[in-house]
Each structure stands twice: as structure tokens, then as C-alpha cells.
Amino acid sequence: YYGRDREAQRNRLFARGDLRQRVANGQILIGSVESVWKQIQELKQLVGCGVIDFTLATQLGQRTSRAIELLGEKIAPRMREN
């Protein structure tokens, strides 16, 4: 599912670039709980998505574990409410 405009979203999904460009394209969610929540809200408005498929950087060890905890404790409840 690519949202409202299939071709535009496909181009956004497969675009490459540096980290800032990939964050701007919605390919990577990064930062504090608040900044990730803001990025999710922007994606929802831009794409019209109802489902987000998260892939975590498993090679980061404890940082990955903490990211999973924060997603479950802080982000997921907000997603359910909205």
C-alpha cells in the first residue's frame, strides 16, 4: 500500500540519499520520542497511511532494545489513540 498517490509514494520509498534526505522522505524515523511521533504524524498526513511497518537496526544491541521499549511504551499507545 502506497497511500493516496501510488507513484509519488513509490518514488519516495525507493529514493536514496544521505540520512537527512531519508528522514525527510519518511524512510527513516529517528530521534527522541517526540520527534519520532512528529515524523509519524507527518507521514500519516502525507501518505494517508494507517499501518507502519517498523524495521529496527538490530546490530545496535542495547540501543535497539531501548528503541523497542520506547516504541511499545510511548509511541504505540499514541498510535492507537490517533
Side-chain angles (χ1 to χ4, degrees):
Y1 177 70
Y2 291 99
R4 293 184 188 111
D5 182 345
R6 181 182 172 105
E7 195 61 34
Q9 297 313 320
R10 183 174 290 207
N11 291 337
R12 179 193 60 77
L13 180 64
F14 293 112
R16 295 288 179 231
D18 66 16
L19 181 61
R20 287 182 187 175
Q21 289 170 317
R22 296 188 74 193
V23 169
N25 287 339
Q27 296 171 315
I28 296 174
L29 303 175
I30 190 170
S32 68
V33 168
E34 291 304 316
S35 64
V36 168
W37 178 244
K38 182 179 175 186
Q39 291 168 57
I40 290 170
Q41 292 299 96
E42 289 171 357
L43 273 174
K44 185 177 178 181
Q45 290 296 316
L46 177 68
V47 183
C49 62
V51 175
I52 296 178
D53 185 9
F54 290 104
T55 303
L56 300 169
T58 58
Q59 72 275 20
L60 298 178
Q62 281 298 106
R63 290 170 57 187
T64 300
S65 296
R66 184 66 181 140
I68 292 168
E69 289 173 9
L70 291 171
L71 278 170
E73 295 171 3
K74 306 291 184 181
I75 300 294
R78 288 184 182 186
M79 292 174 74
R80 278 188 224 96
E81 292 171 2
N82 293 291

